Amino acid sequence: MLLQSWGNKIRVFPAVPSLWNNLNFHNWRTEGAFLISARRTNGKTEFIRILSEAGEPCTIVTDIQKPIFEGKRNFQTQQTAPNTYVIDLKKGEEVFIRNSDTPTTFTISPQTGDSHLSRVYNPFGKKALH
């Protein structure tokens, strides 16, 4: 739900339930030897960080509109389909993807639970007690 890697594409937050507004994860591994970190706040992806460990081709699918790709150099990117981008990452390089509204502070920190969720949703499948 948070990260998928198949068909030579990395998909970040591809199937997040609408109740899960605030999420983040750090250094999750995908096929192609990439480490992915990402943060979603108020139901909107704020940023994605990709670190290439092997220099394989990197294709990312993201819901970030008009993404900005930042790193230690100007990356060559190519949009190959809606919301799908190929990035020329080399081994050991990292890129941050964000939209123009997101500040450039890329931090991952513990998320507190949405208190209203405990009243309407139980992730363990049992009925919630009121």
Side-chain angles (χ1 to χ4, degrees):
M1 293 194 292
L2 304 184
L3 182 66
Q4 294 179 1
S5 165
W6 53 272
N8 296 321
K9 293 180 184 173
I10 300 167
R11 295 160 179 86
V12 180
F13 300 126
V16 176
S18 60
L19 292 175
W20 295 7
N21 288 318
N22 302 313
L23 303 165
N24 63 62
F25 59 86
H26 181 59
N27 281 348
W28 286 12
R29 188 174 307 279
T30 66
E31 67 180 28
F34 297 102
L35 294 177
I36 310 294
S37 301
R39 183 174 67 211
R40 183 176 177 92
T41 304
N42 297 323
K44 186 176 178 182
T45 303
E46 287 190 353
F47 74 85
I48 301 166
R49 176 196 150 255
I50 304 170
L51 173 66
S52 174
E53 293 188 310
E56 294 292 317
C58 181
T59 302
I60 185 89
V61 179
T62 176
D63 63 348
I64 296 175
Q65 300 299 311
K66 299 181 182 175
I68 297 170
F69 299 85
E70 297 178 324
K72 291 187 177 179
R73 68 175 175 93
N74 291 327
F75 293 97
Q76 298 296 317
T77 60
Q78 178 183 7
Q79 186 171 3
T80 57
N83 303 322
T84 305
Y85 302 88
V86 176
I87 310 165
D88 71 327
L89 275 176
K90 293 177 177 47
K91 183 177 180 177
E93 288 186 326
E94 68 180 348
V95 63
F96 290 87
I97 306 168
R98 66 177 182 92
N99 67 24
S100 59
D101 298 336
T102 303
T104 57
T105 55
F106 305 110
T107 58
I108 298 288
S109 58
Q111 290 288 328
T112 58
D114 292 329
S115 61
H116 73 282
L117 290 181
S118 62
R119 288 179 264 132
V120 297
Y121 176 75
N122 183 331
F124 301 105
K126 292 188 170 196
K127 291 183 180 180
L129 299 175
H130 299 283

